[in-house]
Amino acid sequence: MEGLLSRCRALPALTTCGRQLSGYVPHRFYHCGPERGKRLVLSRMFQPQNLREDQVLSPEGRSGDLSCKSQRLMLQVGLIHPASPGCYHLLPYTVRAIEKLERVIDQEMQAIGGQKVNMPSLSPAELWRATKRWDLMGKELLRLRDRHGKEYCLGPTHEEAITALVASQQTLSYKQLPFLLYQVTRKFRDEPRPRFGLLRGREFYMKDMYTFDSSPEAALETYGLVCGAYSSLFHRLGLQCVRVQADVGSIGGTTSHEFQLPAEVGEDRFAVCPGCGFSANMETLHSSQTSCPACRGPLTESRGIEVGHTFYLGTKYSSIFSAQFTNAHGKPCLAEMGCYGLGVTRILAAGIEVLSTEDSVRWPSLLAPYHVCLIPPKKGSREEAATELTGGLYDLITEAVPQLRGEVLLDDRTHLTIGNRLKDANKFGYPFVIIAGKRALEDPAHFEVRCQNTGEVVFLTREGVTEFLSQVQVV
């Protein structure tokens, strides 16, 4: 068992098994939250499934348009459902995964001093006209007028709004800086050709942080802090992202980096020097450049999905909106700014894209909607007597392993064989699947524990199961 434990655990244990429960008390089955005495059961989940691949269609109704693995799998197992081109209903499993990702983001951002805000999606046109981006952004901006004729856009980003907000606080002192203000909200972009499911849509979740510092040196220090937090985030998720030099684009500023997740379906191309570690988006290099500008060594080109982007803005926005603070000499100075984005829904889809097999979802570390799936015997089978033992094991896990409360799902579709339900569990990608099979009738009962991410299988007693699961980390 120790070998399996060492290979399956992603991070050090947070807690150990507290106490073992001896008896089994019958419980009713519920689909609601993790309160004690209630079990989460699969039959009550709202999860439209298309587990036969030939039933999966794109939003336009053509199966041939499913040109990326994550889109196909997420539609197939009922993680998303098309609403219109570039827009998807996010279904319960996906919402749980996104909530977990947001918690990890909160942890990393608040560890460096981030403060969470929430700005309106409706952004007045005059703010965008002040920075000239109302025209510069062109058709990407989703624009609308209210009943009074006032123009707005649905914000794809919030540099204007946050700078105007900080500028409205006219008594800021250098002693209060830096400010690291961030939000996780829906964003909107009128993509000319939305595709790849959640990888490129018209409506998506994004984490955007905006920083305000008292000097260029302090702003660059903050820039390094945020980039470090991004690297920590992707490491915790088990995603091998590459930080590359990038173009500033319509956001502006003088320095920019992207965090690229290598993937065959990636729309970006970037180059890395194996010798010195230099890396850059190919857009920033000359088209014929094949050698590293730093050490002259050969460059290796890859395709990637952009999951994060950072910008040092200087005073581009603070000068327009007069976002000022009073320095140590009592004089007003413009704040030095930075902005930092993470594509929340894109990180989830990109993680599924690179980690999954062709026919089964695999989740980034910490983000599995449910960590454990219990499969009791089929009704009417020889092993049916072990059904109550499975319920008792569910209760034991949720009591003895507190961090897994609300993380254990019971597949109560006992009209199906264990094999069929195991096949579904594999498609859904639960990290751990526990089966009550023939050995559950032994004395003591032994349960089959499958680690989905490694393919390893071990048989454990009730106490062994809780000891094993006590080392699972969740957020």
Side-chain angles (χ1 to χ4, degrees):
M1 183 177 76
E2 182 56 37
L4 178 62
L5 289 173
S6 63
R7 286 185 287 273
C8 287
R9 68 174 70 108
L11 290 170
L14 282 183
T15 183
T16 56
C17 176
R19 56 192 173 99
Q20 308 296 326
L21 300 185
S22 55
Y24 167 67
V25 179
H27 288 67
R28 292 187 63 191
F29 292 86
Y30 293 84
H31 70 284
C32 48
E35 296 90 345
R36 292 185 181 182
K38 297 185 179 181
R39 297 180 187 146
L40 293 161
V41 293
L42 186 57
S43 65
R44 300 293 300 276
M45 294 292 167
F46 179 71
Q47 203 69 16
Q49 299 168 19
N50 298 286
L51 295 178
R52 283 180 54 219
E53 185 172 338
D54 59 3
Q55 293 177 334
V56 181
L57 297 177
S58 71
E60 291 75 28
R62 300 185 300 273
S63 61
D65 291 338
L66 299 174
S67 53
C68 113
K69 177 170 56 179
S70 58
Q71 181 185 18
R72 174 172 53 80
L73 287 174
M74 293 182 82
L75 287 167
Q76 189 176 0
V77 303
L79 301 180
I80 57 176
H81 188 79
S84 62
C87 296
Y88 289 86
H89 300 288
L90 305 182
L91 300 181
Y93 277 44
T94 300
V95 171
R96 281 181 64 91
I98 287 176
E99 288 172 345
K100 291 181 178 185
L101 177 53
E102 185 171 351
R103 287 198 287 272
V104 180
I105 290 171
D106 286 341
Q107 290 169 2
E108 295 295 337
M109 295 302 99
Q110 292 169 20
I112 59 172
Q115 300 179 65
K116 200 169 189 179
V117 298
N118 196 308
M119 291 176 278
S121 293
L122 278 178
S123 188
E126 57 262 28
L127 292 180
W128 290 76
R129 289 197 171 101
T131 60
K132 298 183 169 43
R133 292 210 295 172
W134 185 259
D135 296 320
L136 182 64
M137 293 288 286
K139 294 182 178 180
E140 281 194 9
L141 279 184
L142 280 164
R143 306 161 197 253
L144 63 155
R145 292 176 183 267
D146 67 11
R147 67 181 65 193
H148 306 294
K150 185 176 176 63
E151 291 183 290
Y152 296 87
C153 69
L154 291 174
T157 183
H158 279 74
E159 285 80 13
E160 285 83 357
I162 194 68
T163 312
L165 173 63
V166 171
S168 69
Q169 312 303 305
Q170 299 179 358
T171 58
L172 292 180
S173 164
Y174 73 97
K175 295 179 181 179
Q176 296 173 265
L177 303 181
F179 283 143
L180 289 77
L181 307 175
Y182 78 98
Q183 61 178 353
V184 180
T185 58
R186 287 180 183 262
K187 297 289 192 294
F188 304 86
R189 186 174 292 132
D190 194 357
E191 288 283 352
R193 191 183 167 214
R195 54 181 176 162
F196 298 151
L198 298 187
L199 290 179
R200 180 167 292 282
R202 288 178 170 164
E203 184 176 357
F204 50 93
Y205 278 96
M206 189 171 100
K207 188 285 302 178
D208 44 325
M209 172 178 272
Y210 306 92
T211 61
F212 298 82
D213 275 279
S214 59
S215 69
E217 295 78 16
L220 288 173
E221 183 178 347
T222 298
Y223 188 94
L225 276 177
V226 180
C227 287
Y230 277 21
S231 295
S232 174
L233 170 78
F234 292 123
H235 176 73
R236 290 178 64 188
L237 298 179
L239 301 177
Q240 304 300 314
C241 293
V242 181
R243 177 185 170 189
V244 304
Q245 294 181 15
D247 187 79
V248 298
S250 63
I251 300 289
T254 58
T255 301
S256 176
H257 290 87
E258 294 168 345
F259 286 79
Q260 293 280 351
L261 182 62
E264 292 181 6
V265 301
E267 298 184 279
D268 292 313
R269 294 184 304 126
F270 65 93
V272 175
C273 175
C276 70
F278 169 85
S279 58
N281 190 303
M282 294 297 290
E283 293 178 349
T284 67
L285 302 175
H286 299 297
S287 58
S288 61
Q289 188 167 348
T290 58
S291 60
C292 175
C295 73
R296 313 312 301 170
L299 292 172
T300 300
E301 186 177 331
S302 300
R303 302 195 74 86
I305 301 169
E306 178 194 326
V307 289
H309 208 147
T310 61
F311 300 84
Y312 169 49
L313 300 174
T315 59
K316 174 180 177 176
Y317 294 90
S318 58
S319 61
I320 295 172
F321 294 101
S322 296
Q324 298 179 330
F325 66 95
T326 302
N327 68 12
H329 304 289
K331 296 183 178 179
C333 298
L334 292 173
E336 294 281 337
M337 290 179 58
C339 69
Y340 310 85
L342 287 173
V344 176
T345 39
R346 183 179 286 186
I347 288 172
L348 180 64
I352 290 174
E353 179 70 34
V354 301
L355 297 175
S356 299
T357 66
E358 283 301 317
D359 58 3
S360 299
V361 172
R362 292 296 178 264
W363 301 89
S365 298
L366 303 176
L367 302 189
Y370 297 96
H371 274 74
V372 181
C373 178
L374 287 176
I375 301 179
K378 181 183 178 182
K379 186 175 182 180
S381 68
R382 294 179 182 177
E383 296 82 25
E384 185 176 9
T387 300
E388 287 193 357
L389 294 176
T390 313
L393 181 62
Y394 183 107
D395 301 334
L396 177 62
I397 293 171
T398 55
E399 287 292 334
V401 191
Q403 75 267 26
L404 290 182
R405 236 168 251 156
E407 293 288 333
V408 183
L409 190 64
L410 184 67
D411 190 343
D412 61 327
R413 301 173 301 162
T414 54
H415 61 285
L416 298 176
T417 66
I418 285 178
N420 283 334
R421 283 176 287 161
L422 179 58
K423 191 178 296 184
D424 288 353
N426 187 49
K427 281 186 175 290
F428 283 116
Y430 308 107
F432 303 99
V433 178
I434 303 174
I435 302 166
K438 294 179 180 178
R439 295 196 59 186
L441 298 177
E442 295 178 358
D443 187 13
H446 281 72
F447 297 89
E448 182 180 342
V449 180
R450 290 174 172 260
C451 180
Q452 297 278 71
N453 294 328
T454 66
E456 295 178 85
V457 180
V458 66
F459 288 87
L460 301 173
T461 63
R462 283 162 40 103
E463 291 73 19
V465 169
T466 55
E467 179 187 352
F468 172 75
L469 292 179
S470 70
Q471 303 187 52
V472 175
Q473 187 180 39
V474 299
V475 291

